[in-house]
Amino acid sequence: FLAQDQNRTFNIRLAGREPKNWPATLKKIEAEWSKIYPDDPFRARFYDETMQEIYAADLSAARFVNVATGVAVLIACLGLFGLATFTALRRTKEIGVRKVLGASATSVVGLLSKEFLVLVVVGFGLAVPVSVYFLQKWLSDYAYRIELDWWLVALAGLGGGLLATAAVGFQSIKAALADPVK
């Protein structure tokens, strides 16, 4: 815990792991404090409480970012799903002709999905430098920080690619399995 007056902070480690003994120890420390600093009030705070106050803003920002990220991903997936639906409807005749001429469902799914995956890769390529720059700038404010590894960025890209594939895949498979006559 921390004991503070106007100009000084004392870090004191309480022996033992039993919190039930701490109030008695704190009373003894307060009595000694009053003898040495009679004009200064004794204010004791536990270190974990101090750390929690320091990082409270970061924790609330993290909650906000998590919610905003979830909403952004949901909107992006809905947009991809709508765009895939529109593209499949627009290319219905082309898909029908391809199927009549012997194209497999796999090739039709690949044809429709390829366009969207290219867009996801381009978007990822544009987002990586910007996000890495801001993440490193944000992490530099901390005394203890992690290094941003390449595999974290790759994992984010893989996750985005899988979400895009799932959003587009449904419409692509539906269009590929449709009867060419329709």
Side-chain angles (χ1 to χ4, degrees):
F1 79 95
L2 303 171
Q4 298 176 333
D5 72 355
Q6 287 182 337
N7 301 319
R8 293 173 293 276
T9 299
F10 298 98
N11 293 317
I12 301 171
R13 182 173 183 241
L14 297 177
R17 301 221 184 260
E18 294 294 326
K20 65 181 179 180
N21 299 331
W22 292 351
T25 305
L26 287 175
K27 286 184 183 182
K28 289 178 186 176
I29 294 171
E30 184 177 5
E32 291 299 318
W33 180 277
S34 297
K35 290 177 189 174
I36 298 170
Y37 304 106
D39 296 332
D40 294 329
F42 177 75
R43 291 180 305 206
R45 294 175 52 189
F46 285 95
Y47 195 68
D48 59 339
E49 294 169 356
T50 304
M51 289 284 98
Q52 188 172 0
E53 286 178 16
I54 289 171
Y55 291 110
D58 288 335
L59 292 174
S60 65
R63 279 187 234 109
F64 172 75
V65 167
N66 287 340
V67 169
T69 300
V71 170
V73 167
L74 177 67
I75 290 170
C77 286
L78 288 173
L80 272 173
F81 185 77
L83 191 58
T85 303
F86 174 72
T87 301
L89 288 174
R90 191 186 68 195
R91 297 174 75 178
T92 302
K93 289 181 185 178
E94 176 189 351
I95 293 169
V97 169
R98 285 180 183 270
K99 286 185 71 175
V100 167
L101 294 176
S104 67
T106 307
S107 66
V108 173
V109 169
L111 174 74
L112 293 175
S113 299
K114 182 175 66 172
E115 297 173 17
F116 296 104
L117 291 180
V118 167
L119 290 175
V120 169
V121 169
V122 168
F124 179 71
L126 293 173
V128 165
V130 174
S131 61
V132 167
Y133 171 77
F134 283 113
L135 278 172
Q136 286 179 339
K137 188 173 180 178
W138 177 62
L139 288 172
S140 70
D141 292 339
Y142 294 97
Y144 300 102
R145 59 184 163 271
I146 62 167
E147 291 300 320
L148 204 54
D149 291 328
W150 67 269
W151 63 269
L152 289 171
V153 177
L155 185 64
L158 181 65
L162 289 175
L163 276 173
T165 302
V168 173
F170 176 74
Q171 284 301 324
S172 298
I173 292 170
K174 184 177 167 186
L177 296 177
D179 187 12
V181 176
K182 292 182 183 179

